[in-house]
Amino acid sequence: MYKGQHLPEHVGIIMDGNGRWAKKRGLPRSAGHVAGASNFRTIAKYCSQIGIRYLTVYAFSTENWKRPQEEVKALMRLFRQYLEEALRDFTEENIRTRFIGDVSVFAPVLRDLIEQVEESSKNKTGMVLNIAMNYGGRAELTHAMRQLAQEVKHGSMQPDEIDEAAIERYLYTAGQPDPDLIIRPSGENRTSNFLLWQSAYSEYVIMDILWPDFTTEDLDHALEEFVKRNRRFGGI
Ligand code: FPP
């Protein structure tokens, strides 16, 4: 268990590599997602135990709808299963679960579960877990800009009052600190539209491990790597 002194307050994880993990084993891609979902539970609980205050995981992007229908369906089944479990078993965890992204497009049964999970965990005082579903950084910024345009249209704001703080008020993560550390397993070197605004000064740790194989020790290594970095936020 990570015993380092310095913990990032907010960690983001791009849970990548489920498909390759399955392929390596001659299994369907959906089997990789099942393994990935199980690992997500392990890692989320671990982050909460070691004292991470905010964890944001990328579960389904605005672009993931392009995948074969069968894979999308398998992911929706997994989300439903996870949410049902969260309602049943997650109650003793001191984790507040929130969903970021446009969840209005999901099936009513999934939307109900999302609401119930958010509602039932809203008074928890421990880690905040943001699950990004139908999330895209560009879509999030587009949404924020539309809201600001409405304010200007209704006269409750002047164009020159639009500043960074005003934009942040309309992000899904409003009121939360920006991620200090973003971990990307599976070795890909790109942001994939994850927390575009919020990650301006995040430290990225890219690891050559597929998500279902990513262990709590790997998380510890990412935290150790983060501590070594010298964050200057544009200063010297
Ligand atoms: C990326 O791997 C992973 C996804 C698009 C889905 C992430 C979902 C989970 C980890 C499981 C469900 C999560 C919850 C919250 C229950 P990929 O399929 O792109 O892998 P590849 O790059 O190897 O093809």
Side-chain angles (χ1 to χ4, degrees):
M1 172 147 339
Y2 182 75
K3 296 250 176 5
Q5 304 235 304
H6 190 67
L7 266 182
E9 195 180 9
H10 186 168
V11 175
I13 305 182
I14 301 179
M15 304 186 289
D16 194 17
N18 297 343
R20 275 163 285 169
W21 183 91
K23 196 170 169 208
K24 262 174 55 183
R25 287 164 178 76
L27 297 168
R29 290 178 59 82
S30 56
H33 295 312
V34 172
S38 153
N39 203 34
F40 152 70
R41 291 174 185 80
T42 307
I43 299 293
K45 282 187 190 168
Y46 182 70
C47 286
S48 158
Q49 276 165 15
I50 63 173
I52 302 286
R53 300 298 305 159
Y54 297 86
L55 173 69
T56 302
V57 293
Y58 209 2
F60 194 84
S61 79
T62 44
E63 288 70 40
N64 286 152
W65 298 106
K66 290 187 229 152
R67 294 188 175 207
Q69 235 204 332
E70 201 186 310
E71 183 173 345
V72 171
K73 267 197 194 150
L75 278 166
M76 295 302 140
R77 267 199 305 276
L78 265 181
F79 294 146
R80 183 169 169 183
Q81 196 185 327
Y82 165 72
L83 290 163
E84 283 167 353
E85 272 172 32
L87 280 177
R88 224 179 32 235
D89 313 329
F90 242 51
T91 42
E92 66 279 13
E93 301 287 331
N94 192 15
I95 298 177
R96 178 173 169 209
T97 305
R98 296 179 68 256
F99 292 83
I100 63 170
D102 178 10
V103 297
S104 70
V105 299
F106 290 116
V109 57
L110 210 55
R111 284 201 324 256
D112 275 359
L113 283 165
I114 286 175
E115 219 179 286
Q116 286 180 54
V117 168
E118 284 193 328
E119 185 59 29
S120 67
S121 70
K122 73 173 186 207
N123 294 323
K124 303 274 185 170
T125 53
M127 184 178 85
V128 173
L129 169 65
N130 297 310
I131 303 182
M133 277 184 33
N134 193 29
Y135 174 87
R138 288 183 174 184
E140 178 179 38
L141 286 167
T142 306
H143 171 260
M145 285 175 204
R146 280 205 190 120
Q147 304 284 318
L148 288 165
Q150 287 292 347
E151 283 216 34
V152 172
K153 185 177 165 194
H154 294 127
S156 51
M157 186 180 251
Q158 294 303 312
D160 58 7
E161 285 173 334
I162 298 177
D163 56 10
E164 293 188 8
I167 293 169
E168 276 165 9
R169 276 202 297 281
Y170 285 109
L171 299 181
Y172 296 121
T173 52
Q176 300 187 8
D178 287 339
D180 308 286
L181 165 67
I182 296 183
I183 303 170
R184 178 149 199 173
S186 100
E188 306 289 356
N189 286 282
R190 50 179 176 270
T191 67
S192 296
N193 209 7
F194 185 54
L195 302 178
L196 288 186
W197 176 281
Q198 299 89 331
S199 66
Y201 291 104
S202 303
E203 294 293 333
Y204 256 86
V205 173
I206 314 271
M207 298 171 89
D208 211 358
I209 305 155
L210 304 174
W211 172 249
D213 291 330
F214 187 91
T215 63
T216 56
E217 287 78 35
D218 294 320
L219 191 96
D220 288 349
H221 290 146
L223 295 172
E224 281 152 18
E225 169 65 27
F226 169 77
V227 173
K228 286 191 221 144
R229 307 262 177 103
N230 175 14
R231 301 179 78 202
R232 292 187 294 277
F233 298 94
I236 52 168

